[in-house]
Amino acid sequence: MSDPISTISTLLEPVFAELNDGEPADPTVRPSDRADAQINGALPLAKRRGVNPRELAQAVVDSGVLAGFASDVEIAGPGFINVTFSTEFLTSQLASISDDPRLGVPQAVVAKTVVVDYSAPNVAKEMHVGHLRSTVIGDALVRMHVFLGHDVLRENHIGDWGRPFGMLIEHLIDLGEDVAADGLTQGDLDGFYKAANAKFSESEEFQVRARERVVLLQNGDEETARLWHRLVDMSTAYFDAVYSKLGVLLTDDDLVGESFYQPLMGRTVERLSEAGLLEEDDGAKVVFPPGFTNRDGNPLPLIIQARTGGFNYATSDLTCVIDRVERRGADLMLYVIGAPQQQHLQMVFKVSEMAGWLTEETEAVHVPFGNVLGDDRKMLRSRSGASVKLVDLLDEAVDRAGQAVAEKNPNLSAEDRAEVARMIGIGAVKYSDLSTDRVKDYMFDWDRMLAFDGNTAPYLQYAHARICSIFRRADIDRASVRNSPIVPEAPQEHALALRLLAYPSAIDATLQSFSPHKLSTYVYELASDFTSFYEHCPVIKADERTRSSRLALADLTARVLAHGLDLLGIEAPEQM
RNA sequence: GCCUCUGUAGCUCAGUGGAUAGAGCAUCGGUUUCCUAAACCGUGUGUCGCAGGUUCGAUUCCUGCCAGGGGCGCCA
């Protein structure tokens, strides 16, 4: 790995082990604001061995392993070792990544089959801000796992089955298929759903028809199936349009809806029964996973088959686990689903373990996230109080970005401006979602996310555009500078170099916790380090040797910046 | 009642078993014969919700409490 912190950490391990009678001891190397890195491991080790920490720190320094990497090493305070990396060392590390398409990030040692479950809108229902987080976070996690060389299976678990489909199909018939199709493809899904729902609550005759239609659907009636398909197709075409606007990787090939699991659920129940887990409780078939209690302190069941004989989402989710493990060969399953589902998923995972479907070799992880809030600190709603349509949100973002671009850079052609506005607007929405810790709620604020200062997509994109601009101005092909040595002499160059080399660590930390905001923070710090460099270190006007070094440093920065943004699903324009 | 998440600067948010807890915004003050000033530089800001405990060292780990959100059987 290119990161100097991990490089010296690895080199120090044997030194620490030797000072600990051969037992491994963590050197605890961290970035530091007093130097480039601080080695903290001497303190706990000295305590454990009952020796003076400063003397132990001295012994670490005397081992000589830091000599080849550091321009300065000092023991400070009770026994911290502060290390400043030498320019020569940074130059050599940068040389190893500056012409590397992977930018120093190693492939995963073991390629896993990773299933990512995300987005999951409902057929005949509008996509709203609630779907934004799952879709955007899931997409980023997919991109990162793919980059590391894992075999990633995207799964969009759409709601395409269940009781509401009786009423939806009947409403489709009432409207006339083609009339309905017009409205639905234009994205008026909410209108359709609400009208069906209203009829259902008003008309007994309609209720009867809807219920009969559900039975027909479940029994595989041909005409009903055709109508159902039509409904699903219209919805998925609409979803595709939204995904395309949003710029996520999901396609129709990734659709694995509720309906897919219907024919398999009977077998799931049988297998639970064969495993001796199934119990009869109040007429329902249930499993009691240990560790879950209800309001009254009694064991809480996972309901597998309702009293009426119907299956529910627990059955479906269990069947889904079986499918992913046994058919798709999943090693890791990520469920990018809102925090309220936590208990349900924990119960599903527990029962899956009890049944032997989830073993130690297969990891299932709930990747929860909080809500999108309005400035009133409540769930984001439109002025009328309705949930906000995702497409409207995205269109407004592009629109607002377009106004800003027109104002700030009138020289762009209308065509370029539209394209840049799209990148900025969509990027801003995605970045504001990805850049805060996903488990928390975040506040949706147009002005903040579209600002060109602070931790925002436009700021990052602007840094990238400025680098591209340097090369345009100098009329130099970016690829041509990738073999020039980078000699980071100025403090801003030194800081930027260190940051660039830390890219693999940032990705590693991000995937360790499935937290895209860690990569976001890294990319922001990188952009920030670059702008500081940009202000203090002239590139084009520098003398020849410095100029070629700075050009190479700028190019590398642009590539890491664009690459990091791409892993987040955000585009980096060359001018804006 | 039980479970779970959250609580860090005026605001929005990072952060870590280590040394004086950091950014951005907002405030104030500077910087443009110079590669995009959509920027940069400087400036102030804290009982890290409260109380205990573990530790050489806790904002970070553990326990309890307080406040807010979410969840807790036949919808998905």
Side-chain angles (χ1 to χ4, degrees):
Chain A
M1 208 185 262
S2 60
D3 190 352
I5 303 271
S6 31
T7 303
I8 64 168
S9 187
T10 308
L11 288 164
L12 284 166
E13 275 165 25
V15 176
F16 272 76
E18 193 178 329
L19 292 167
N20 194 31
D21 289 342
E23 291 296 306
D26 185 3
T28 327
V29 187
R30 298 285 131 87
S32 173
D33 43 359
R34 295 158 185 255
D36 289 343
Q38 58 185 54
I39 303 162
N40 302 332
L43 278 82
L45 183 57
K47 174 71 183 173
R48 221 177 314 145
R49 303 195 58 81
V51 300
N52 182 306
R54 282 189 69 102
E55 283 172 19
L56 191 89
Q58 189 60 51
V60 172
V61 174
D62 290 344
S63 73
V65 294
L66 299 170
F69 310 95
S71 60
D72 188 38
V73 178
E74 61 157 356
I75 297 169
F80 301 103
I81 305 168
N82 293 336
V83 180
T84 303
F85 296 110
S86 69
T87 302
E88 296 72 31
F89 174 52
L90 295 182
T91 297
S92 72
Q93 292 296 92
L94 288 166
S96 74
I97 67 165
S98 67
D99 201 22
D100 174 12
R102 297 193 59 82
L103 301 164
V105 182
Q107 295 262 354
V109 179
V110 180
K112 293 180 178 174
T113 298
V114 182
V115 172
V116 185
D117 180 324
Y118 64 116
S119 196
N122 292 310
V123 163
K125 267 188 160 178
E126 191 60 54
M127 286 188 78
H128 53 83
V129 282
H131 298 103
L132 177 66
R133 302 215 73 188
S134 176
T135 307
V136 167
I137 294 166
D139 186 60
L141 293 175
V142 164
R143 290 168 188 265
M144 287 184 240
H145 282 94
V146 167
F147 177 55
L148 286 198
H150 296 297
D151 188 9
V152 179
L153 305 171
R154 302 181 297 258
E155 290 201 357
N156 190 359
H157 199 106
I158 59 169
D160 64 356
W161 201 257
R163 267 188 352 208
F165 281 85
M167 106 192 159
L168 291 169
I169 291 170
E170 283 303 319
H171 184 54
L172 181 69
I173 293 169
D174 288 358
L175 274 183
E177 284 178 56
D178 295 329
V179 174
D182 279 351
L184 287 171
T185 45
Q186 280 165 32
D188 185 22
L189 295 181
D190 265 359
F192 185 87
Y193 196 94
K194 279 178 189 154
N197 219 1
K199 249 196 274 180
F200 190 85
S201 48
E202 282 160 17
S203 160
E204 272 187 39
E205 177 266 350
F206 187 78
Q207 284 178 27
V208 172
R209 276 161 55 197
R211 292 202 184 96
E212 287 171 354
R213 188 59 71 177
V214 174
V215 176
L216 284 171
L217 181 63
Q218 284 166 346
N219 293 343
D221 172 68
E222 211 171 291
E223 172 64 4
T224 304
R226 189 187 65 77
L227 292 165
W228 173 80
H229 262 296
R230 182 116 201 237
L231 211 49
V232 172
D233 288 347
M234 288 188 285
S235 292
T236 55
Y238 175 72
F239 299 154
D240 287 342
V242 178
Y243 292 145
S244 157
K245 188 169 284 202
L246 191 54
V248 295
L249 300 170
L250 285 168
T251 70
D252 284 345
D253 293 338
D254 306 318
L255 294 170
V256 193
E258 294 284 335
S259 62
F260 175 83
Y261 301 101
Q262 294 307 311
L264 310 170
M265 300 214 291
R267 181 62 197 140
T268 302
V269 179
E270 279 173 27
R271 288 177 67 170
L272 287 170
S273 175
E274 286 160 17
L277 296 173
L278 214 54
E279 295 182 39
E280 194 84 14
D281 190 73
D282 203 9
K285 289 180 180 164
V286 305
V287 178
F288 287 101
F292 297 90
T293 52
N294 66 13
R295 236 178 271 278
D296 308 315
N298 298 319
L300 183 66
L302 187 64
I303 295 173
I304 307 299
Q305 195 163 12
R307 198 185 297 130
T308 57
F311 302 129
N312 57 25
Y313 76 138
T315 334
S316 164
D317 285 342
L318 286 168
T319 308
C320 184
V321 170
I322 295 174
D323 185 64
R324 288 171 183 174
V325 174
E326 297 183 359
R327 183 176 67 90
R328 312 217 67 180
D331 300 306
L332 173 63
M333 300 186 276
L334 302 181
Y335 288 76
V336 188
I337 296 173
Q341 299 291 325
Q342 184 167 348
Q343 181 177 264
H344 166 73
L345 281 170
Q346 295 314 323
M347 290 178 82
V348 167
F349 295 163
K350 188 76 200 168
V351 169
S352 298
E353 283 170 29
M354 293 164 75
W357 304 326
L358 271 181
T359 63
E360 282 174 11
E361 284 89 62
T362 312
E363 197 182 357
V365 181
H366 180 205
V367 181
F369 50 84
N371 298 313
V372 183
L373 306 180
D375 52 16
D376 56 358
R377 286 216 150 269
K378 291 180 179 159
M379 297 265 281
L380 186 65
R381 304 246 172 233
S382 67
R383 271 180 293 279
S384 64
S387 61
V388 180
K389 285 173 71 167
L390 190 48
V391 272
D392 291 347
L393 194 87
L394 299 177
D395 287 342
E396 182 167 354
V398 174
D399 197 50
R400 283 173 180 259
Q403 286 171 27
V405 175
E407 189 185 320
K408 305 289 185 186
N409 192 350
N411 299 327
L412 281 181
S413 70
E415 198 181 329
D416 286 346
R417 187 171 67 217
E419 181 64 359
V420 168
R422 185 187 62 74
M423 292 186 195
I424 295 176
I426 301 296
V429 169
K430 285 178 158 185
Y431 192 79
S432 78
D433 196 302
L434 292 169
S435 59
T436 59
D437 190 348
R438 61 174 163 72
V439 304
K440 297 182 185 176
D441 297 343
Y442 79 93
M443 211 177 281
F444 193 92
D445 182 329
W446 286 118
D447 292 335
R448 205 163 50 236
M449 77 177 75
L450 285 162
F452 290 81
D453 334 283
N455 190 6
T456 68
Y459 177 80
L460 302 175
Q461 292 168 320
Y462 180 54
H464 180 262
R466 282 176 125 181
I467 299 173
C468 296
S469 175
I470 293 173
F471 284 87
R472 266 198 309 275
R473 273 302 175 99
D475 196 25
I476 292 173
D477 175 36
R478 281 184 48 193
S480 72
V481 304
R482 286 175 199 164
N483 291 314
S484 308
I486 299 172
V487 186
E489 278 164 345
Q492 292 83 4
E493 294 177 285
H494 188 91
L496 180 55
L498 261 185
R499 189 75 68 190
L500 288 164
L501 293 169
Y503 186 47
S505 302
I507 291 177
D508 190 55
T510 301
L511 288 184
Q512 211 69 45
S513 55
F514 310 108
S515 299
H517 81 283
K518 295 190 177 178
L519 182 57
S520 307
T521 302
Y522 169 82
V523 181
Y524 170 62
E525 286 168 340
L526 175 61
S528 190
D529 287 337
F530 172 76
T531 38
S532 189
F533 158 79
Y534 183 87
E535 292 293 327
H536 293 96
C537 305
V539 177
I540 297 174
K541 294 195 167 122
D543 65 78
E544 177 47 36
R545 186 173 149 278
T546 308
R547 176 180 141 112
S548 80
S549 165
R550 288 182 177 169
L551 281 169
L553 185 60
D555 168 68
L556 182 58
T557 303
R559 281 189 293 142
V560 174
L561 208 44
H563 195 272
L565 283 170
D566 181 62
L567 290 182
L568 296 170
I570 295 169
E571 294 174 81
E574 298 204 347
Q575 54 178 330
M576 57 191 278

